[in-house]
Amino acid sequence: MSMIRKVIIAAGALVCVLAAIIAIRTAMFNPEPTANIDGIKIDPVPKVDIATAAMRLGQIIQFKTISHQDPSENQTEEWSNQQRWLELTYPTVAKTMHREIVGVGTLIYSWEGSDQALPAIILMAHQDVVPIEAGSEKAWKYPPFSGQIADDAIWGRGALDDKGSLIALFESLDALAKSGFSPRRTIYLVSGHDEEVGGSGAQAAAKLLESRGVKAQFTLDEGGAVSSEVPSINGPVIMIGVAEKGYATLRVAARTQGGHSSMPSHDLAAVNLAKAIVAINDHPFRSELRPPVSSFLALMALQSDVKTRMAIANRWLFEGAIVNKMASTAPGAAMLHTTIAPTMLSASPKENVLPQMASALINYRIAPWQTSSDIMKQAREAVGGIPVELNWNAPPHEPSPVSSWQSEGWKVIHASIASEFQGAPAYPALVLGTTDSRYFKNISKDTYRIFPALLKSSDSILVHGNNEHIKINNFGRAIAIYERLIVTATK
């Protein structure tokens, strides 16, 4: 037998063995499932007048509770007026729940449960919104603070982020209080006043509750959503955030003598800064498949087509292709690594003056498997001998712990949402942004993040963008889900 023929036979045998391994691993693929919800009973809840609820969401959007980067620009009376409006609009909640104002304007509502031995539940939604980009008002279909109800939707800044959640929670608690419902487990509603600029109010609220010895079964905040656009899956999928990325902003500063622009030296602050920014940006963090993203993919694969299941079941062979496919989109890439985003630049106050200092801010969203120390180390290695200073602009927030998808809290949340979406599956997800809930890790066993509305991928550009709105039927679903969740978690 010729050598060539032997090589061909050996190669064929190797291919057959490889194919058999892939087929066997695909057939036996059985990742750890999420908790079974068959035993969770969802009771009927009071009906809410959705038209009235939509009108109220439109009304609260009209309060310009805008968190500016410079706090001196905030119209603080807007928060006071909005909080007074909540008290007047939901008098039953005001009578049933005890209200506290923490710091500048963060709200804590508490509904005491009949069994104080049970850990509480904490529900969250923030009061503030981001500004409208200057000059963009004409791009809005309806004025951004009009709260217009049109085209079967409620329009305006905050409809999705996060006044939609806030009003859905108030409507739910109001309906339950009016029905005579009495919880066994204490309920806290925490509404931060400055989530969009760091969440100092939520941080203060968490410290206050911790000082009182409060323990929670779970905390629920914004973050995930229900999606009907998960690849290879027909029907809605409930994406519950079980972790969120950390947050850190690096300040890069270059200093030189400065002087007149007509006589530039070879040592320019702006040039040194530019070199440093490029060096840092050109040293990205490696993309990796790690929990909870890898867990999401594994669970998704169980309901996907054979090709997808085969790839996920055989990551040892196909991981590179999976990573490349995910990294082809900005959201997909962000799930795989710590992101680096140069955002703000500052240098000379005048066009003909060489700056004595040029600085930049680089924002990082830290993956759950890394820390701020890793970020600083890599940045220092990237700039090497470029004469710049590297410091944190503010103390970093490390990534959150990863919460369980086997807990009772997960079961309640999944079952409550699935009752509205035909038994849809729930998957653990990584939240790319930051939420106020990160401050509650010391008092909450698990933290979950989802606004229980059916959202398209295109809806993501509405958050902090133009034409933010929520469909009325979607808003109504969220109210019903919150009702069921509260009843199921606290009965």
Side-chain angles (χ1 to χ4, degrees), residues 203-242:
Q203 187 176 25
K207 287 182 178 178
L208 177 62
L209 294 179
E210 185 178 7
S211 72
R212 294 173 178 172
V214 171
K215 294 295 180 183
Q217 182 190 41
F218 66 84
T219 294
L220 181 67
D221 201 357
E222 62 176 336
V226 183
S227 173
S228 59
E229 298 176 331
V230 176
S232 303
I233 296 181
N234 294 320
V237 172
I238 303 165
M239 308 290 290
I240 303 175
V242 294

Side-chain angles (χ1 to χ4, degrees), residues 369-391:
W369 51 89
Q370 290 174 320
T371 67
S372 59
S373 296
D374 299 325
I375 310 309
M376 183 63 79
K377 179 182 177 182
Q378 180 150 319
R380 293 193 186 285
E381 290 174 353
V383 300
I386 302 172
V388 292
E389 303 165 8
L390 302 180
N391 295 287

Side-chain angles (χ1 to χ4, degrees), residues 445-467:
K445 182 180 178 183
D446 290 294
T447 300
Y448 301 108
R449 305 155 185 87
I450 186 169
F451 177 37
L454 182 65
L455 301 179
K456 299 177 181 178
S457 57
S458 58
D459 290 329
S460 63
I461 64 172
L462 302 177
V463 177
H464 293 196
N466 297 336
N467 289 317

